[in-house]
């Protein structure tokens, strides 16, 4: 006798997504994966690339699940600078999470033959959070595919979840956010009231002098968004960030012809407050960008799996354009000074031998 026929039926229908991955090389980056497989993948990455990767506890979700981030870079006896990337702050944006996994894969599999990465990984550590809103992400798999918020309980359990991208301490809940817990843009009970947003705020607040760039990955819309959402006033280095974004969008387009628009959030999308991007900029991080990945509405949040690879390939080109600029801005100056000093010395020596 079969004890539970329904369980067998259920298990037979989950397909490739639910298969246990025992070897990292078998992991399929062109599929969406549930959280249990992502946790397993993170453990495998940590173990396989222990020379370059360490995994750290960021904090706990409302439902007491651990949030981890990777620290990727060559070990150094000196403090290193940081580029931050988080994905999955909104539960239904599965392509963003797929991209974070792709980004990690590409860094680890190509760094030995990539001169830029060879250089960057000695100067900079990548801090990567593959899934920030874990509770909401699991809920989007099991209950409501289009769930956006976290899963904290409010108003005596009559409504659930906070929009984590309205919960940061950056003009919190002043525009483009709601105090009504039933709304999808509910900003929470106060700045960083949610454990997920609070964990990011605490870690980056303690590291702010070392963080050069903040990247938060979303979908959809095909946009590279700059600060600010809460005002139409430009940030202090708006023109530089705009220029970088335009170069990133051009490089991205070269891959598969995908068009991206770039600009301040309040100018090309809509006004909002309490976003992590604006908070990072207000914290003093030099560069802060939101990527809104494919598409522009045909599939929206339910982007088919056959678009994962091209989306990730083109996004990688755009992101690495930003990484290259950041590295050149903060680390090439020393090389330039050294080179110019050598040139001056060689000129002096040449003049000496000419005279004598």
């Amino acid at each position: 006798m079969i004890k539970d026929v329904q369980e067998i039926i259920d298990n037979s229908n989950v397909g490739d997504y639910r298969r246990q991955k025992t070897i990292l090389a078998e992991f399929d980056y062109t599929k969406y994966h549930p959280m249990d497989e992502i946790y397993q993948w993170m453990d495998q990455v940590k173990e396989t690339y222990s020379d370059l990767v360490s995994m750290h506890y960021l904090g706990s979700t409302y439902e007491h699940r651990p949030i981890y981030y990777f620290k990727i870079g060559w070990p150094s006896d000196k403090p290193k600078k940081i580029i931050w990337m988080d994905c999955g702050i909104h539960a239904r944006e599965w392509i963003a999470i797929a991209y974070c996994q792709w980004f990690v894969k590409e860094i680890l599999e190509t760094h030995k033959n990539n001169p830029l990465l060879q250089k960057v990984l000695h100067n900079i550590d990548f801090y990567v959070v593959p899934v920030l809103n874990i509770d909401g992400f699991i809920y989007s798999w099991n209950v409501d595919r289009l769930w956006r918020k976290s899963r904290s309980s409010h108003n005596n359990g009559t409504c659930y979840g906070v929009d984590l991208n309205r919960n940061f301490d950056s003009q919190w809940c002043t525009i483009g956010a709601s105090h009504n817990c039933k709304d999808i843009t509910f900003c929470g009970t106060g700045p960083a009231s949610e454990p997920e947003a609070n964990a990011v705020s605490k870690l980056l607040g303690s590291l702010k002098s070392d963080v050069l760039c903040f990247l938060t990955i979303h979908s959809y819309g095909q946009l590279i968004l700059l600060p600010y959402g809460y005002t139409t006033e430009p940030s202090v280095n708006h023109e530089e960030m705009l220029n970088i974004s335009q170069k990133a969008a051009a490089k991205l387009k070269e891959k598969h012809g995908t068009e991206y628009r770039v600009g301040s959030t309040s100018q090309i999308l809509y006004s909002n407050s309490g976003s992590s991007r604006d908070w990072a900029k207000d914290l003093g991080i030099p560069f802060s960008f939101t990527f809104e990945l494919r598409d522009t509405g045909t599939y929206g949040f339910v982007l088919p799996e056959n678009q994962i690879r091209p989306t990730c390939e083109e996004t990688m080109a755009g992101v690495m354009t930003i990484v290259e600029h950041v590295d050149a801005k903060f680390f090439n100056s020393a090389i330039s000074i050294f080179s110019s000093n050598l040139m001056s010395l060689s000129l002096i020596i040449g003049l000496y031998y000419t005279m004598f």
Side-chain angles (χ1 to χ4, degrees):
M1 291 285 290
I2 299 173
K3 290 183 179 179
D4 192 340
V5 174
Q6 186 60 48
E7 182 180 353
I8 293 173
I9 293 171
D10 290 344
N11 287 340
S12 68
N13 287 337
V14 294
D16 291 340
Y17 299 140
R18 301 290 183 180
R19 288 186 303 173
Q20 290 298 311
K21 308 295 184 184
T22 56
I23 302 173
L24 186 60
E26 295 177 359
F27 192 86
D28 190 346
Y29 292 91
T30 66
K31 299 284 187 183
Y32 295 121
H33 294 271
M35 196 63 218
D36 58 342
E37 291 183 9
I38 293 173
Y39 274 135
Q40 184 183 29
W41 169 80
M42 292 186 76
D43 283 334
Q44 291 168 352
V45 167
K46 174 191 68 175
E47 292 167 8
T48 305
Y49 295 96
S50 58
D51 58 331
L52 195 62
V53 178
S54 55
M55 193 167 82
H56 303 267
Y57 176 77
L58 177 65
S60 178
T61 68
Y62 177 82
E63 294 179 341
H64 307 295
R65 295 184 175 94
I67 308 168
Y68 297 112
Y69 66 92
F70 286 131
K71 179 181 176 182
I72 306 174
W74 293 117
S76 174
D77 55 359
K78 298 177 182 178
K80 292 175 68 179
K81 296 301 181 182
I82 296 164
I83 291 177
W84 171 274
M85 178 184 291
D86 66 69
C87 298
I89 195 171
H90 288 146
R92 61 194 179 187
E93 297 170 8
W94 290 10
I95 185 60
I97 294 164
Y99 174 68
C100 248
Q101 295 185 279
W102 187 279
F103 177 82
V104 170
K105 171 188 79 76
E106 284 295 296
I107 296 297
L108 297 178
E109 290 183 359
T110 68
H111 71 275
K112 290 182 180 178
N113 300 315
N114 186 319
L116 174 61
L117 282 176
Q118 279 286 314
K119 180 171 173 290
V120 169
L121 291 170
H122 281 97
N123 298 330
I124 292 169
D125 288 326
F126 291 105
Y127 283 40
V128 182
V129 184
V131 189
L132 183 57
N133 181 9
I134 295 172
D135 295 345
F137 179 60
I138 291 172
Y139 192 79
S140 76
W141 269 83
N142 297 334
V143 181
D144 181 355
R145 174 64 183 85
L146 294 180
W147 187 257
R148 169 185 171 98
K149 300 187 286 181
S150 66
R151 290 297 299 164
S152 53
S153 177
H154 299 275
N155 197 24
N156 296 319
T158 60
C159 49
Y160 290 87
V162 167
D163 183 344
L164 297 178
N165 206 39
R166 301 292 184 274
N167 191 235
F168 284 80
D169 191 8
S170 179
Q171 298 295 313
W172 175 80
C173 223
T174 55
I175 190 170
S178 173
H179 287 283
N180 185 343
C181 66
K182 294 182 180 180
D183 291 340
I184 64 169
T185 57
F186 175 46
C187 58
T189 56
S193 62
E194 303 310 291
E196 298 88 350
N198 189 49
V200 173
S201 300
K202 282 187 173 178
L203 178 64
L204 290 189
S206 69
L207 297 170
K208 62 182 181 181
S209 61
D210 292 322
V211 184
L212 302 180
C213 184
F214 181 93
L215 298 167
T216 182
I217 313 299
H218 292 244
S219 73
Y220 61 93
Q222 295 174 197
L223 306 165
I224 302 177
L225 300 173
L226 317 180
Y228 289 102
Y230 61 76
T231 178
T232 56
E233 292 296 315
S235 61
V236 290
N237 61 336
H238 174 79
E239 289 303 320
E240 182 181 9
M241 285 199 294
L242 184 63
N243 183 50
I244 302 166
S245 300
Q246 289 167 340
K247 288 179 179 177
K251 204 46 120 166
L252 186 154
K253 184 181 178 181
E254 287 179 10
K255 282 291 181 180
H256 300 289
T258 308
E259 297 271 2
Y260 266 58
R261 293 187 296 133
V262 305
S264 298
T265 306
S266 59
Q267 301 280 15
I268 70 166
L269 187 57
Y270 49 65
S271 295
N272 59 30
S273 56
S275 73
S276 64
R277 174 204 57 249
D278 289 356
W279 170 82
K281 189 61 182 170
D282 287 342
L283 192 66
I285 294 172
F287 299 104
S288 185
F289 305 92
T290 300
F291 272 70
E292 296 280 359
L293 306 186
R294 293 191 188 187
D295 55 11
T296 56
T298 302
Y299 297 102
F301 299 113
V302 193
L303 195 71
E305 289 183 329
N306 62 14
Q307 291 198 36
I308 293 176
R309 175 182 289 276
T311 301
C312 291
E313 288 173 345
E314 67 195 14
T315 307
M316 196 72 194
V319 166
M320 289 310 296
T321 302
I322 293 173
V323 169
E324 184 173 15
H325 179 91
V326 171
D327 182 73
K329 181 179 178 69
F330 291 96
F331 297 99
N332 276 6
S333 57
I335 295 171
S336 298
I337 292 168
F338 179 71
S339 298
S340 62
N341 287 343
L342 278 178
M343 189 176 294
S344 299
L345 182 60
S346 64
L347 283 171
I348 292 168
I349 293 170
L351 283 170
Y352 175 83
Y353 280 110
T354 302
M355 292 169 64
F356 296 98

